[in-house]
Amino acid sequence: MQMKEKAKRYLVFLVGLFISSLGVSLITKADLGTSPISAIPYVLSLHFPLTLGQFTVAFSLFLILLQLLMLRRRFKAEHLLQIPISVAFIDPTMVLLDFLEPQAYPAKVVSLLIGCVVLAFGVFLEVLGDVAMLPGESFVRAVVSIWKTDFGTTKICFDVSMTVIAVVASFVLAGLLTGVREGTLIAALLVGFIARLFALRLAFLEPLLFGDAADA
């Protein structure tokens, strides 16, 4: 990969990472349940001494380990960037959206849906950059590369699985549903689908952004 192309890819990736974090923050601000990738750490944080952030780091490391086991020699050094970037922009975007506190249920739903679209676009840009991703999306990409599945469909299956596991964990630990709401399920079903639409409709971006660099 030429230096010019690599620089472009990292720039696209960083923009995608910021947009993904903004989407997660919008979903969180909706107060209808956290995003699917955060569902398991959030449920665990409600019942054990570790914080949400600590469980998020532990879960991210677990997903990176699974990628290493699956990809083996195809595991790149860039994949290790998932560790510092997993929480890079969440706090800043939460501060950026500090003014947003939807109270009425319709306003919460609007925030949730906008968050899903924003998150999906960020995920699309991360995939387009193809240098590193958040642990959840990178795990999905590893599955896609091995089993040759569709990214959007695999992303939906992954998000739904994370939501189901969080629900089961909630009932096992507390005997009732905690930490997961309708917004979690909606995000699980929508984000991968919308990301797939972006990939189909904006397929021209990759040769437009990287074609000249790749041919250099």
Side-chain angles (χ1 to χ4, degrees):
M1 185 184 295
Q2 299 294 326
M3 288 299 297
K4 183 178 179 181
E5 180 189 356
K6 195 167 188 177
K8 287 182 178 181
R9 288 189 178 277
Y10 271 102
L11 178 59
V12 170
F13 162 72
L14 289 173
V15 172
L17 177 60
F18 176 79
I19 292 175
S20 293
S21 300
L22 188 63
V24 171
S25 296
L26 280 165
I27 293 172
T28 303
K29 283 287 188 176
D31 196 28
L32 295 177
T34 186
S35 62
I37 189 62
S38 301
I40 295 174
Y42 183 59
V43 168
L44 293 176
S45 72
L46 297 176
H47 304 287
F48 293 99
L50 295 181
T51 65
L52 173 60
Q54 291 169 328
F55 271 119
T56 298
V57 171
F59 188 57
S60 297
L61 292 174
F62 175 68
L63 290 176
I64 294 170
L65 176 61
L66 290 180
Q67 293 170 56
L68 176 61
L69 294 175
M70 289 191 300
L71 295 173
R72 299 183 182 181
R73 292 182 179 179
R74 287 185 290 171
F75 189 89
K76 302 175 183 178
E78 285 89 346
H79 286 83
L80 296 176
L81 287 172
Q82 297 172 63
I83 298 174
I85 67 175
S86 58
V87 292
F89 289 128
I90 297 294
D91 287 344
T93 52
M94 286 294 288
V95 172
L96 185 65
L97 296 174
D98 189 55
F99 66 93
L100 184 63
E101 296 291 343
Q103 301 298 320
Y105 191 81
K108 292 176 181 286
V109 172
V110 170
S111 177
L112 169 68
L113 295 178
I114 293 175
C116 288
V117 174
V118 172
L119 175 56
F121 185 65
V123 170
F124 161 72
L125 289 179
E126 290 175 32
V127 175
L128 185 65
D130 194 28
V131 288
M133 304 174 74
L134 291 173
E137 281 70 44
S138 189
F139 176 82
V140 172
R141 185 176 63 175
V143 172
V144 169
S145 69
I146 293 172
W147 284 287
K148 308 304 179 185
T149 57
D150 175 76
F151 183 88
T153 302
T154 308
K155 170 66 174 169
I156 293 173
C157 293
F158 174 77
D159 285 350
V160 171
S161 298
M162 295 299 99
T163 303
V164 171
I165 293 172
V167 169
V168 172
S170 177
F171 278 109
V172 169
L173 294 171
L176 71 162
L177 185 60
T178 58
V180 180
R181 287 189 57 181
E182 64 272 29
T184 307
L185 181 58
I186 292 172
L189 294 173
L190 283 185
V191 172
F193 174 73
I194 298 171
R196 183 181 182 185
L197 290 180
F198 279 129
L200 291 173
R201 299 295 183 181
L202 302 178
F204 64 89
L205 281 180
E206 183 163 14
L208 181 65
L209 291 172
F210 310 125
D212 57 336
D215 296 335

